[in-house]
Amino acid sequence: MAASVFLILFAITVLTCTAAHDFQTSIHLLRPRQGLGRQLVEGVDCLSWRLAVETNNLRNWQLVPESCESYVGNYMLGKQYRRDCKVVADAALEYASRLNLTGDGKDIWVFDIDETTLSNSPYYARTDVQFGALPYNATKFNEWVAEGTAPAIPAVRYLYNKLVSLGFKNVILSGTNARFQDVRAANLHKAGYRSWERLILKGDADKGLSAVAYKSKRRTELVSQGYRIVGNVGDQWSDLLGANAGSRTFKVPDPMYYIA
């Protein structure tokens, strides 16, 4: 009887604590946290693999090693990922605080969307996706985007809004298809991004361009309009390379996929 009462009280406590977490301020644990402490799985050192990915030493890879799917999932849904994002955001904010604004409204920061301002972890946690261990399915991912329910990455949202308060203008530049303009704008607003100078998505004129070429093109257009890109935040190296990448670039972690 005592054991039953304990279990009931424990369940109530868990539900209460879970309900207290705001959708916009946490990335919820969607899967059991197993195996994170063991990085060497079937001959693949998953921690070293992730480091090679983040430093761009491992390029043009297609899938997360199957044996590292659990490791990547637990990383993306765990505290370490959030801590790593915070380190990036803190470094960016420290840099921004030392800049002298010109006052003409042309000093801008560029932000990506997927795995930068918004997290797709709820989607990648699904069994038919498995945190990048299975091939990318454009149809399924677009269905997820159309839901408009992606949560914010808390550290990036904090950085984004602090930059606004400091007087910078933020431009959101994404490879998302332009047909999702309204849903992405609504999702960003719901997740706590309330102000931007431009929201630029990929249109028909950008078809066939690589991510580097597309983002270089759009950033160059901004510069030609008189904007100065003082900072650039993205999860892919293709967000941060190419023409007019910005005076400083900041990469948030993403070991789930690689975009050239």
Side-chain angles (χ1 to χ4, degrees):
M1 178 67 178
S4 298
V5 172
F6 173 78
L7 289 173
I8 292 172
L9 291 174
F10 176 77
I12 292 173
T13 301
V14 170
L15 289 172
T16 302
C17 292
T18 301
H21 285 284
D22 180 75
F23 167 80
Q24 297 177 356
T25 57
S26 62
I27 299 171
H28 301 293
L29 295 179
L30 304 174
R31 319 186 74 198
R33 292 173 55 78
Q34 299 175 2
L36 187 57
R38 182 173 177 80
Q39 288 113 27
L40 188 61
V41 186
E42 297 180 10
V44 178
D45 188 327
C46 299
L47 179 56
S48 295
W49 178 85
R50 180 168 64 86
L51 176 63
V53 166
E54 296 301 345
T55 53
N56 206 30
N57 290 322
L58 182 61
R59 303 180 184 182
N60 299 313
W61 53 276
Q62 299 298 315
L63 296 173
V64 171
E66 186 176 353
S67 58
C68 293
E69 181 264 332
S70 179
Y71 168 79
V72 170
N74 285 322
Y75 169 73
M76 292 301 299
L77 298 176
K79 293 180 180 179
Q80 190 61 53
Y81 170 69
R82 295 193 289 277
R83 288 169 179 161
D84 291 347
C85 289
K86 185 177 184 301
V87 167
V88 177
D90 287 348
L93 187 56
E94 193 276 332
Y95 159 72
S97 66
R98 292 186 280 105
L99 296 176
N100 293 318
L101 292 174
T102 60
D104 62 0
K106 294 294 187 176
D107 294 309
I108 64 171
W109 281 70
V110 174
F111 284 81
D112 178 49
I113 294 182
D114 295 305
E115 270 59 66
T116 301
T117 50
L118 298 178
S119 169
N120 296 308
S121 289
Y123 169 77
Y124 281 100
R126 296 173 180 176
T127 57
D128 57 351
V129 183
Q130 295 184 9
F131 290 100
L134 295 178
Y136 173 71
N137 186 310
T139 299
K140 289 182 179 180
F141 184 75
N142 286 337
E143 289 172 353
W144 155 255
V145 171
E147 292 177 20
T149 57
I153 294 177
V156 177
R157 182 180 58 190
Y158 178 78
L159 167 66
Y160 183 101
N161 290 323
K162 285 293 289 184
L163 291 173
V164 172
S165 70
L166 289 173
F168 295 97
K169 299 290 181 66
N170 292 331
V171 171
I172 301 175
L173 172 59
S174 170
T176 305
N177 190 288
R179 72 178 184 272
F180 294 108
Q181 186 89 15
D182 291 343
V183 71
R184 286 249 116 158
N187 194 163
L188 285 161
H189 190 269
K190 180 180 179 181
Y193 299 93
R194 302 296 170 83
S195 175
W196 50 77
E197 181 77 355
R198 302 276 183 85
L199 172 58
I200 304 171
L201 303 186
K202 202 169 187 177
D204 291 339
D206 306 310
K207 286 183 178 179
L209 294 178
S210 69
V212 172
Y214 159 65
K215 295 210 165 182
S216 293
K217 173 186 173 183
R218 293 304 188 185
R219 291 192 303 259
T220 298
E221 289 173 355
L222 290 167
V223 171
S224 69
Q225 294 163 13
Y227 289 105
R228 293 175 293 274
I229 303 175
V230 297
N232 185 358
V233 186
D235 68 297
Q236 298 289 318
W237 282 100
S238 56
D239 298 327
L240 311 174
L241 298 174
N244 296 300
S247 300
R248 279 286 303 271
T249 61
F250 299 87
K251 185 184 184 301
V252 291
D254 180 7
M256 295 190 297
Y257 53 85
Y258 182 92
I259 298 177

